[in-house]
Amino acid sequence: MPRLPAPLRPLYPYLKPAYVRATGYLAPAAVQLSRLSGHYLPTGVAYSMEEATSSGGRCVEARAAETIIRPAFLGHPQDLPPLEPAGDTTVPRVAVAELPAGRVLGRHHAVITRSGDLVQEVSHYFGTNRPSEHPVFMSPFPGAPHEVAGRLGVLASRGDRNYYHFLIDVVPRLGVLEQTPQIERPDRWYVPSQTAFQRELLDMLGIDQSSRIDSDEVTHVRAECLVVPGLPSLIEEKNPPWVVEFLRRRLLPDDIPPADKRRPVYITRSAGANNREVVNEPALLNLLTARGFDVIDPGRMLVKEQIRAFASASTIVSPHGAALANLVFASPGSTVIELFPPGCVLPDYWKLASSVPGLAYRYLSAWPQFSRRNRPTAIVSDIDVDLGALAAMLDELSS
């Protein structure tokens, strides 16, 4: 659903489920309506890549399923339960599919086979429980697909306008292809490139502009052969260690300052109200700058500058937000303290931090005033930092 203006964000936990349910109810009618203009909406479902290629094409496994053993989830309050499970994680196998005459449709990049099946494994959308709830069904009259000769690699994915999802979901699809040498390299790439950080990362990874088809400009495409690498973790943020290793190997510069030259940093957000804004940030900055912290706003920095800032940090204090995707570049021996609204602790970046060599993680939150707490609530709640608890945590970690 569209991003809400600040005054309406508290309604997000209620509007999103309603939007999803409405999509599911309207999907059958939308499919029938689409017959009037090309019949481009999906008419069936292939739940796995193997199922998608059962009537044509090929599926190759890149990585077998694996179980990730993680350290304890530590922070303040110590016994505050996270909103989602925080323990060992099983990551499903990751594969690559070659789909003859395959398509990608819509702003959220639904992958569709030649026979009209939605490939659910690589098309699952946030907060949905059934394929029919995918937002693609809210637009029954898409235009005809842009036809592409040869092999088209799909990097675009749901949420790729967000820095975290672009870095952690989209970019590692190149790593999936790297692990399947039997798959011939695509001739062109279907990838978003509207934002500066997308273009910069694509340049850094050697995906030159001449080989890109912008998925935000061309929202419906059909290729002679669609090459679809799986996503490392689609339904929830699993953040497997191999993704961290791939990103560090491809993007981390060599000339990172030694440990005795690193400085603590605070990550500020230009978020606005009802979007994890730190409401007592002036007092927080007084505390942190007195302790030698530098203040940075990753949203105003080049990607290369963000990577270097995180790699050069001894301690990172930050509200929960996409900029913490840069934790993959943190140096061994560094520490991150993630700030949350009351009762809204999420394990996403703990999972990421636990895959970064030598990085210590702590969360800082408070007991909730209200009982209704979930992910939608967390992302539209603001943060009032317990400065005493933060000071004690910094003292503990530096001792």
Side-chain angles (χ1 to χ4, degrees), residues 189-240:
W189 300 97
Y190 189 64
V191 62
S193 54
Q194 291 292 303
T195 70
F197 73 76
Q198 291 168 340
R199 293 190 296 271
E200 187 179 352
L201 278 165
L202 292 172
D203 290 341
M204 293 169 69
L205 292 160
I207 306 295
D208 61 87
Q209 186 173 355
S210 63
S211 68
R212 304 172 198 165
I213 295 177
D214 190 332
S215 58
D216 287 323
E217 289 186 355
V218 182
T219 57
H220 191 190
V221 65
R222 177 163 50 204
E224 185 176 348
C225 181
L226 199 67
V227 181
V228 187
L231 290 102
S233 51
L234 182 64
I235 296 180
E236 63 179 79
E237 286 73 12
K238 296 179 183 288
N239 295 322

Side-chain angles (χ1 to χ4, degrees), residues 29-42 103 105 136 139-145 220 222:
V31 171
Q32 293 302 315
L33 286 172
S34 75
R35 296 176 183 274
L36 303 176
S37 61
H39 206 174
Y40 292 125
L41 288 187
R103 293 186 289 130
L105 173 62
V136 72
S139 301
F141 304 117
H220 191 190
R222 177 163 50 204

